[in-house]
Amino acid sequence: MAHPKILEVIEHDVCTACGACASVCPAGAIIVEKRAEIRDPDNLELYVKGAAPGVCEGCLTCARICPVIDGFMEDEFANVRSFFGAKSNIKGQDGGVTSTLAKALLESGEVECIVGIASDDGWNTELILMTKPEDVDRTTGTKYTYDSVLSALKEPFEKYDRIAVIGVPCQVHAARLISENVNDKIVVIIGLLCMESFYHDVMKEKILPEIMGLKAEDVVKMDFGKGQFWNYTKDGEAHSVKIAQVAPHARNPCHHCCDYTSYFADISVGSVGTPDGWNSVLIRTDVGEKYFDMIRDKVEIMEDPKPGLDLIKKLTTMKHDNNKKHYLEVCEEFTFDECGIH
């Protein structure tokens, strides 16, 4: 039996923990833990009840949907059809566009299920399945800690026929690979702009108390902007530190990622390139145009937002410049050559 290529991805600590491999493995040989530290199909202790060390069948499905193995695009804007600003009256991180779109997809029946991340007042997160428009309210706002979103798709793949995925670039990339290679039940992919993310315990035990001097339960919103990491607290105060102070604490796989704008999404949404209170929107596919048209009458559009696409491109270049070398060095260590910058 050939060992899955994802073992090398894990061993080199560049696994994004997107969870795609766990959701599509036909033999159920892969388990994703919160930090995705170990995912060895030959380790009996990691198997679900009833599995065995020989359960991996060597189909290599996991390698076909791994974003690290597939590699990154040199030009993240090659497939952008249109760019504009938008905002709705839904309370969200900024313009509320992602929440508005998610609700519309569920209300219309265009999708039956969306995987999302909810958080409590202490910023503890959990994966939830949104099947009703009101479920979306539990997931509003950006969480800068990471969850293996796609690992939650295993059950929905069995139960639903039309699924939407909302995620950061690595999750979006893997979702696209799943839809093209394994399962066509993912009908729309909404991507978020992302520079990096953090493990839950690092955020709650290191960044918030030690660097920010805050308690997690006092924070109501987190944001990155103007070179600062911002935390807004219940007393109405805004607290910030330079991004350089928190960036070294990001998950290691983030330091090897060369996708800032979720290239493989149908629609990419962020808060960069537009005024405060607005979302930046990048339409990338026919599907993206179709589903955004569903909410055009529910949002306000800004055709030429400032500072605009130039700022998004600047940050994209920054991420590539910081991470490209690290990623290509790891690619040289792999025994396969599919990965790289394309």
Side-chain angles (χ1 to χ4, degrees):
M1 181 191 77
H3 269 313
K5 297 172 185 177
I6 61 164
L7 289 183
E8 293 186 46
V9 173
I10 296 163
E11 288 166 0
H12 286 86
D13 195 24
V14 289
C15 169
T16 69
C18 67
C21 54
S23 71
V24 302
C25 176
I30 305 171
I31 289 178
V32 181
E33 298 201 341
K34 277 278 186 178
R35 295 186 59 153
E37 293 170 331
I38 305 174
R39 212 169 315 158
D40 184 353
D42 287 331
N43 185 340
L44 178 60
E45 295 178 358
L46 296 181
Y47 284 151
V48 294
K49 184 178 180 180
V55 71
C56 176
E57 298 173 349
C59 69
L60 303 184
T61 299
C62 53
R64 290 158 53 205
I65 52 81
C66 176
V68 176
I69 293 174
D70 192 58
F72 300 98
M73 302 303 295
E74 183 75 51
D75 182 3
E76 287 191 34
F77 301 89
N79 64 353
V80 173
R81 300 183 175 199
S82 59
F83 165 74
F84 51 88
K87 69 174 180 178
S88 74
N89 58 8
I90 290 181
K91 183 180 179 180
Q93 181 74 4
D94 286 283
V97 170
T98 304
S99 296
T100 301
L101 187 53
K103 285 194 171 189
L105 289 168
L106 292 168
E107 287 171 352
S108 64
E110 288 291 331
V111 303
E112 301 167 277
C113 171
I114 307 173
V115 177
I117 303 175
S119 63
D120 60 21
D121 291 340
W123 291 88
N124 299 300
T125 61
E126 65 171 321
L127 294 172
I128 66 169
L129 297 181
M130 294 177 278
T131 58
K132 303 183 296 295
E134 53 266 33
D135 294 338
V136 177
D137 295 332
R138 295 183 59 197
T139 66
T140 58
T142 300
K143 299 87 178 170
Y144 289 99
T145 55
Y146 195 90
D147 280 278
S148 300
V149 169
L150 300 185
S151 65
L153 285 175
K154 196 172 186 68
E155 179 182 338
F157 279 150
E158 298 173 355
K159 188 174 181 180
Y160 302 105
D161 293 320
R162 299 183 63 80
I163 300 169
V165 169
I166 301 173
V168 293
C170 55
Q171 297 161 352
V172 162
H173 190 170
R176 179 65 64 193
L177 292 172
I178 290 174
S179 68
E180 292 178 348
N181 295 287
V182 182
N183 193 314
D184 62 1
K185 292 186 175 183
I186 297 176
V187 296
V188 59
I189 303 171
I190 303 167
L192 307 175
L193 275 59
C194 177
M195 188 66 75
E196 57 207 0
S197 62
F198 305 86
Y199 288 123
H200 294 273
D201 55 352
V202 172
M203 179 64 75
K204 294 186 66 175
E205 299 172 15
K206 176 70 178 181
I207 295 176
L208 290 180
E210 295 186 19
I211 297 178
M212 303 291 300
L214 300 171
K215 296 179 180 179
E217 56 268 27
D218 292 333
V219 177
V220 296
K221 179 181 176 180
M222 300 179 188
D223 200 7
F224 281 91
K226 300 178 182 178
Q228 302 280 318
F229 177 49
W230 297 86
N231 278 237
Y232 301 87
T233 47
K234 293 177 180 178
D235 58 8
E237 294 294 318
H239 310 262
S240 69
V241 296
K242 292 182 178 179
I243 291 177
Q245 290 181 253
V246 299
H249 302 286
R251 302 181 316 127
N252 188 61
C254 295
H255 298 309
H256 297 78
C257 175
C258 297
D259 186 353
Y260 175 61
T261 65
S262 288
Y263 174 89
F264 294 93
D266 295 301
I267 305 171
S268 297
V269 182
S271 57
V272 174
T274 51
D276 291 344
W278 289 76
N279 283 127
S280 52
V281 180
L282 292 82
I283 305 295
R284 298 180 180 271
T285 68
D286 286 340
V287 170
E289 289 184 351
K290 170 186 174 182
Y291 288 124
F292 193 85
D293 283 346
M294 288 174 49
I295 65 166
R296 281 189 183 273
D297 62 347
K298 299 180 180 180
V299 298
E300 185 178 348
I301 302 292
M302 183 184 292
E303 295 293 350
D304 187 24
K306 302 299 181 186
L309 200 57
D310 286 344
L311 177 57
I312 297 177
K313 289 183 175 180
K314 178 181 178 180
L315 294 174
T316 299
T317 298
M318 182 185 303
K319 183 170 185 178
H320 283 224
D321 288 346
N322 288 340
N323 297 350
K324 183 176 181 179
K325 180 180 178 182
H326 301 298
Y327 173 65
L328 292 178
E329 286 176 348
V330 174
C331 287
E332 289 294 321
E333 299 295 321
F334 291 150
T335 60
F336 50 87
D337 56 10
E338 292 94 325
C339 63
I341 309 292
H342 310 299

